[in-house]
Amino acid sequence: MKLPVLSFLSLATLLLTTECARTTEAERPTTSAARNIGRETVIARAADTASTASTLVTASAAPTAPTAVEAAARKTAADYKAEIRAADVTLKSTPRNFDALLTRAKAKSHLKDYADAIADYNAALRLKPTNAEAYYNRGLNRLKLKQYSPSISDFTKAIKYNPEDKEAYFGRGAAKMQMFNFKSAIPDFTKALALDSSYADAYEYRGISYSSINKPNEAKADLEKATQLNPEAAKSLRRYAGK
């Protein structure tokens, strides 16, 4: 069976913009903007922060200050290149500067330079080997490169150092799905839902996983719940639960 493109990313995210790394906790989207199908064009939901940010903006009666998601969405390639140049200057004088490495890695992720971003995350993690954010972001980059087993390892470490990170559980489950390990993915989505009971994407991908291991009743229940929370999930409901 073909797997859904994991648009995180929406982590859309998972895919993961061209944003494969969150810049702040607040930048992680809560819904996916796309539901394309195709295992060979995998995109991590949680890594698509920038490209999906605009779908998360809702109208309000009075103007408010831009959120972190909105601010990230307004950045251009030129902005990210400027961040890289600034980080380069800092790292030339202080090569062990963790924050500069993290900033440069995130900017490279936005520019789809995933391999170089991973190199910066490697360097950052040598300086701070218990930093959950760096493991999470590296996992997203690896997911972009279809390095599923290493991405699972990174998400596991992110969870170790931040057990309340629902997106790390989701990312690990998404990577397992790409390896057709649906049964093992289900507990990860379940944990993400324990942390956030309104996590539409987790319901959706758990439902797809249930469908893939021939549990139609559980699949239907999850996909109906996902559709209630996010109408975009109706496509998966029709595909995987026959509605």
Side-chain angles (χ1 to χ4, degrees):
M1 64 173 290
K2 291 184 178 180
L3 298 184
V5 170
L6 303 178
S7 57
F8 305 173
L9 316 211
S10 219
L11 71 212
T13 91
L14 94 50
L15 208 225
L16 264 151
T17 158
T18 54
E19 158 73 321
C20 207
R22 65 191 176 204
T23 55
T24 67
E25 182 74 13
E27 286 183 2
R28 291 198 234 171
T30 56
T31 60
S32 299
R35 289 294 187 276
N36 297 323
I37 303 298
R39 184 171 188 267
E40 293 309 311
T41 54
V42 172
I43 303 178
R45 184 200 62 80
D48 271 342
T49 302
S51 66
T52 60
S54 60
T55 68
L56 305 177
V57 180
T58 56
S60 59
T64 59
T67 65
V69 175
E70 294 168 9
R74 294 172 187 172
K75 286 187 178 182
T76 65
D79 294 325
Y80 296 123
K81 290 177 182 178
E83 289 181 356
I84 291 172
R85 289 194 296 272
D88 286 342
V89 171
T90 299
L91 290 164
K92 187 174 181 179
S93 58
T94 55
R96 293 175 60 82
N97 188 306
F98 175 84
D99 291 333
L101 285 167
L102 201 62
T103 296
R104 190 170 69 178
K106 291 171 181 177
K108 288 177 178 178
S109 295
H110 279 283
L111 296 173
K112 300 185 179 181
D113 192 357
Y114 307 125
D116 276 359
I118 289 172
D120 278 343
Y121 284 123
N122 292 343
L125 284 164
R126 284 194 289 270
L127 297 173
K128 292 189 178 182
T130 63
N131 186 273
E133 181 184 13
Y135 281 117
Y136 173 84
N137 288 340
R138 191 174 69 177
L140 293 179
N141 279 266
R142 285 174 162 171
L143 193 56
K144 276 285 195 176
L145 294 175
K146 302 181 183 179
Q147 298 173 0
Y148 303 128
S149 291
S151 72
I152 289 171
S153 177
D154 276 344
F155 291 131
T156 298
K157 289 176 181 175
I159 291 166
K160 177 180 178 180
Y161 297 117
N162 182 10
E164 301 303 304
D165 189 344
K166 67 177 183 179
E167 294 288 356
Y169 284 104
F170 182 93
R172 189 169 69 176
K176 290 175 180 178
M177 287 180 71
Q178 298 309 315
M179 298 178 73
F180 297 99
N181 195 350
F182 301 106
K183 187 174 182 179
S184 180
I186 288 171
D188 283 330
F189 297 131
T190 299
K191 180 60 179 180
L193 288 165
L195 293 167
D196 180 0
S197 61
S198 62
Y199 197 165
D201 286 335
Y203 277 114
E204 181 177 0
Y205 290 110
R206 190 175 69 174
I208 293 169
S209 296
Y210 274 131
S211 176
S212 301
I213 62 172
N214 197 29
K215 290 193 173 183
N217 294 334
E218 291 87 342
K220 180 181 177 182
D222 271 356
L223 292 168
E224 286 179 343
K225 180 65 175 180
T227 302
Q228 291 172 11
L229 294 167
N230 175 21
E232 287 286 333
K235 297 175 184 178
S236 292
L237 176 62
R238 290 192 296 272
R239 183 181 182 90
Y240 296 101
K243 291 192 67 175

